[in-house]
């Protein structure tokens, strides 16, 4: 939690974020991810200063349990001084103990954001889905929270001005915006109408611009002129490995047919198609149909 400290910006964790989206599709399947088509709505996690602190926190926790479909999970929430926003004790359940930073006693509007991340820890724990290392595993948790419909709360908790700042989670604001945009492009949902933080809206707009770039990389037909020209040159030279800014690579298959591999713009699993002009491909993981000019 950045509390009146510097807030990191940009996309330093983008490779891990993309790997997390792929891991979600592989572990949950396309059909399960489609059941998360509706995000948590503000009214369900609203928390006013007149609400009882503990009863209100339990109510929000139950709503997030319902959203993540953890019907037999119960959360016992307490508050204490700590560096991080929150901590959950991962056990066999069904009862889980969550500690929230004392800051949330007076910043209650952000309790839903903190709990969204901690309840997702439990969800992933039950799925036995994790990344090695604390940093990457926390990025996985932020990404899953956002892609499955509760992470807009984490981005909305980001506020920054000349005198103070607050940000929850391990992703940068722009990375939260990127994952929200990827979700919006899949489900046709516009989370920006829920933002109360103007900085969150700005980060979402930047994230959407970055997400759109994924759909405009060759060999996809939506690629621009410069990308198509670079692709044609790399095809002649048979570039064998992806490199920064160039995600595709060429290699012959076992039968000697030249193929190009590139990441799916939705789930980032690599796809291989023959180099033979116009090709329509369907990602086997997220079922996205891709129009390609190879």
């Amino acid at each position: 939690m950045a509390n009146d400290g510097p807030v990191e910006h940009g996309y330093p964790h983008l490779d891990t974020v993309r790997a997390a989206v792929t891991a979600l599709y592989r572990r949950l399947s396309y059909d399960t991810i489609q059941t998360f088509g509706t995000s948590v709505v503000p009214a369900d996690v609203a928390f006013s200063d007149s609400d009882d602190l503990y009863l209100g926190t339990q109510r929000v926790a139950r709503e997030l349990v319902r959203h993540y479909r953890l019907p037999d999970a119960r959360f016992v929430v307490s508050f204490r001084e700590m560096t991080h926003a929150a901590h959950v004790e991962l056990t066999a359940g069904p009862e889980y103990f969550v500690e929230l930073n004392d800051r949330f006693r007076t910043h209650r509007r952000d309790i839903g954001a903190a709990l969204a991340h901690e309840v997702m820890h439990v969800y992933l724990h039950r799925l036995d889905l994790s990344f090695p290392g604390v940093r990457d595993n926390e990025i996985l948790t932020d990404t899953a929270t956002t892609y499955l419909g509760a992470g807009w709360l984490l981005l909305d908790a980001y506020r920054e001005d000349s005198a103070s700042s607050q940000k929850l989670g391990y992703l940068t604001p722009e990375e939260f915006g990127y994952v929200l945009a990827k979700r919006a492009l899949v489900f046709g949902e516009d989370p920006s109408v829920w933002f109360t933080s103007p900085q969150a809206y700005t980060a979402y707009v930047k994230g959407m611009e970055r997400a759109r770039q994924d759909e405009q990389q060759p060999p996809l037909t939506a690629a621009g002129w410069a990308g198509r020209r670079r692709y044609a040159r790399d095809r002649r030279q048979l570039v064998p490995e992806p490199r920064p800014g160039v995600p595709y690579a060429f290699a012959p298959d076992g039968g000697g047919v030249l193929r190009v591999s590139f990441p799916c713009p939705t789930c980032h699993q690599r796809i291989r198609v023959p180099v033979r002009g116009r090709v329509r491909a369907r990602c086997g993981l997220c079922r996205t149909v891709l129009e390609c000019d190879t």
Side-chain angles (χ1 to χ4, degrees):
M1 178 173 68
N3 182 10
D4 292 335
V7 175
E8 186 177 26
H9 289 277
Y11 303 92
H13 315 112
L14 194 55
D15 288 344
T16 308
V17 167
R18 288 169 170 166
V21 173
T22 306
L24 279 177
Y25 272 96
R26 286 177 176 164
R27 184 66 182 87
L28 291 177
S29 81
Y30 166 84
D31 290 329
T32 299
I33 284 181
Q34 287 297 305
T35 65
F36 288 92
T38 302
S39 288
V40 173
V41 296
D44 291 338
V45 292
F47 205 131
S48 72
D49 290 338
S50 61
D51 290 338
D52 179 272
L53 177 62
Y54 290 93
L55 292 178
T57 302
Q58 292 290 347
R59 172 182 56 79
V60 173
R62 285 195 300 271
E63 178 56 35
L64 291 164
V65 165
R66 184 204 64 77
H67 177 76
Y68 293 138
R69 296 164 181 81
L70 294 168
D72 60 340
R74 300 188 300 272
F75 284 81
V76 178
V77 183
S78 62
F79 295 80
R80 71 173 177 88
E81 291 186 8
M82 63 173 74
T83 302
H84 298 291
H87 172 74
V88 63
E89 182 181 340
L90 294 176
T91 63
E95 196 166 69
Y96 298 90
F97 294 90
V98 178
E99 294 177 317
L100 296 181
N101 192 298
D102 260 340
R103 175 183 175 87
F104 294 117
R105 290 181 182 271
T106 54
H107 292 73
R108 299 182 180 185
R109 61 186 285 190
D110 299 322
I111 285 177
L115 287 175
H117 179 95
E118 300 309 317
V119 178
M120 177 53 70
H121 268 303
V122 173
Y123 183 79
L124 295 176
H125 176 69
R126 291 191 171 192
L127 286 176
D128 193 26
L129 176 58
S130 64
F131 279 0
V134 173
R135 169 187 168 276
D136 286 1
N137 200 53
E138 292 290 352
I139 291 171
L140 167 65
T141 304
D142 276 344
T143 302
T145 303
T146 306
Y147 205 83
L148 298 184
W152 70 267
L153 291 162
L154 285 161
L155 180 53
D156 196 41
Y158 162 56
R159 290 179 285 279
E160 186 175 17
D161 57 37
S162 59
S164 63
S165 64
Q166 174 184 278
K167 186 189 76 70
L168 305 184
Y170 282 67
L171 300 185
T172 68
E174 293 78 16
E175 287 168 342
F176 273 120
Y178 173 81
V179 182
L180 272 176
K182 303 294 279 190
R183 172 184 167 80
L185 293 171
V186 168
F187 293 110
E189 184 181 69
D190 181 11
S192 65
V193 298
W194 300 324
F195 292 140
T196 61
S197 164
Q199 293 83 16
Y201 179 81
T202 300
Y204 174 67
V205 170
K206 291 180 179 178
M208 179 61 80
E209 291 175 355
R210 189 66 188 81
R212 288 290 190 189
Q213 291 178 22
D214 292 346
E215 301 178 333
Q216 298 166 357
Q217 294 292 325
L220 301 174
T221 56
W225 176 83
R228 296 295 313 161
R229 185 175 181 179
R230 182 188 63 197
Y231 177 86
R233 181 196 64 210
D234 291 342
R235 183 178 56 199
R236 290 193 299 270
Q237 297 174 354
L238 295 182
V239 174
E241 296 290 339
R243 58 186 190 272
V246 182
Y248 51 80
F250 298 92
D253 62 14
V257 176
L258 184 64
R259 292 181 178 269
V260 60
S261 66
F262 60 96
C264 170
T266 299
C267 70
H268 305 289
Q269 174 178 255
R270 292 196 73 81
I271 298 171
R272 295 177 73 241
V273 297
V275 177
R276 62 183 185 200
R278 289 270 180 164
V279 175
R280 176 174 288 180
R282 185 170 187 255
C283 177
L285 191 58
C286 68
R287 304 184 187 179
T288 301
V289 176
L290 305 170
E291 298 290 342
C292 308
D293 187 356
T294 59

